[in-house]
Amino acid sequence: MKYRLLIILLFFSLPLLAQNSSVENEFISKIHKYNSDIRSIKCKCTQNSVLAIFDKPKSVDGMFYYLADNNIIISLNNGDFIKIIDSVLEMKTGKEITKIKLSSNPALKNLNILISSCFKGDFSTLKSIYNISYSKNSEGSYTLLLTPKKTSKSKNMSVELLFNGKDMSLDNLKMIESEDNYTEYIFRAKEYNMDVKGYFSK
């Protein structure tokens, strides 16, 4: 009886595995096609923070900048920012400013790899850190669910990514610690291969 149940489970899971593999191949092919030549990105963004200790979600608008390779700025309208430049993270939250080398914090290093991979379209490094599940939505967009591998340093945080099916750009990045604790970034009005070096030299 035990083996019969196992066979039945395998029978029904095989089509799902094949479907996920098919979506993965389609996704990787398309994102390489559209994103392989991207050297910089400038776009508007919104940060939504949901924490169990808050009465309601906190939302703040800002700007996002990406400069190859792996340089990132999230500048929010409330004065807070996250900067990752030359493998050094500088973060301002309220009046507190933190500066740290990514090499000394594997979790932050993995986050930098995650964000950069989404805009470069290269997921080869991510696969060593996360288990990735691919799905295609009815309107043609793609959702990726990333769960940390036991050997990774990303703690217990899973990540949900939403990619625009038309140009394979990242529309939504959601970092989930629990159902009541997550941070979400929404990206819009994207401009590619603009001169953004000035933002990284300030």
Side-chain angles (χ1 to χ4, degrees):
M1 181 65 183
K2 179 173 66 176
Y3 296 107
R4 183 183 300 174
L5 179 61
L6 179 61
I7 292 171
I8 291 171
L9 289 172
L10 285 171
F11 177 80
F12 283 104
S13 66
L14 282 173
L16 294 175
L17 290 171
Q19 183 181 17
N20 187 65
S21 177
S22 175
V23 173
E24 176 183 357
N25 292 337
E26 178 183 310
F27 172 85
I28 295 297
S29 176
K30 287 184 68 175
I31 201 167
H32 277 206
K33 175 183 176 182
Y34 284 94
N35 290 11
S36 59
D37 293 331
I38 291 177
R39 304 300 299 168
S40 68
I41 297 172
K42 174 184 177 181
C43 70
K44 297 178 181 179
C45 69
T46 299
Q47 180 195 71
N48 296 318
S49 300
V50 175
L51 297 173
I53 59 173
F54 294 162
D55 292 332
K56 57 182 180 179
K58 290 190 173 183
S59 181
V60 58
D61 291 331
M63 294 295 296
F64 172 86
Y65 307 93
Y66 165 78
L67 179 65
D69 280 326
N70 300 343
N71 298 296
I72 295 165
I73 295 176
I74 298 175
S75 179
L76 301 175
N77 292 347
N78 61 2
D80 291 353
F81 61 76
I82 299 172
K83 297 180 181 179
I84 301 177
I85 303 173
D86 296 331
S87 298
V88 175
L89 178 139
E90 184 178 1
M91 179 169 60
K92 180 178 180 291
T93 306
K95 295 182 179 180
E96 183 179 352
I97 296 180
T98 303
K99 198 168 185 178
I100 186 172
K101 290 184 178 180
L102 293 182
S103 57
S104 64
N105 190 312
L108 290 174
K109 182 179 180 181
N110 288 347
L111 179 61
N112 186 33
I113 293 171
L114 166 67
I115 297 175
S116 297
S117 296
C118 292
F119 290 101
K120 290 193 297 184
D122 182 1
F123 284 75
S124 55
T125 305
L126 272 187
K127 288 184 177 181
S128 66
I129 305 169
Y130 296 96
N131 294 308
I132 307 177
S133 173
Y134 301 79
S135 61
K136 187 174 183 179
N137 306 311
S138 57
E139 75 281 7
S141 62
Y142 296 87
T143 298
L144 274 60
L145 181 61
L146 287 67
T147 53
K149 293 185 176 181
K150 291 182 180 179
T151 55
S152 81
K153 304 292 185 180
S154 296
K155 298 183 179 180
N156 198 30
M157 183 180 67
S158 60
V159 181
E160 186 176 282
L161 307 170
L162 178 66
F163 288 86
N164 189 304
K166 294 181 180 179
D167 62 4
M168 298 307 293
S169 62
L170 182 65
D171 283 346
N172 188 293
L173 183 154
K174 188 176 182 181
M175 297 174 289
I176 309 164
E177 292 188 35
S178 68
E179 185 178 345
D180 298 324
N181 293 275
Y182 65 84
T183 301
E184 175 184 47
Y185 291 95
I186 300 171
F187 304 99
R188 62 192 184 279
K190 308 175 190 88
E191 298 178 84
Y192 301 101
N193 295 331
M194 306 285 289
D195 185 2
V196 299
K197 291 182 179 178
Y199 297 101
F200 290 85
S201 59
K202 293 178 180 178

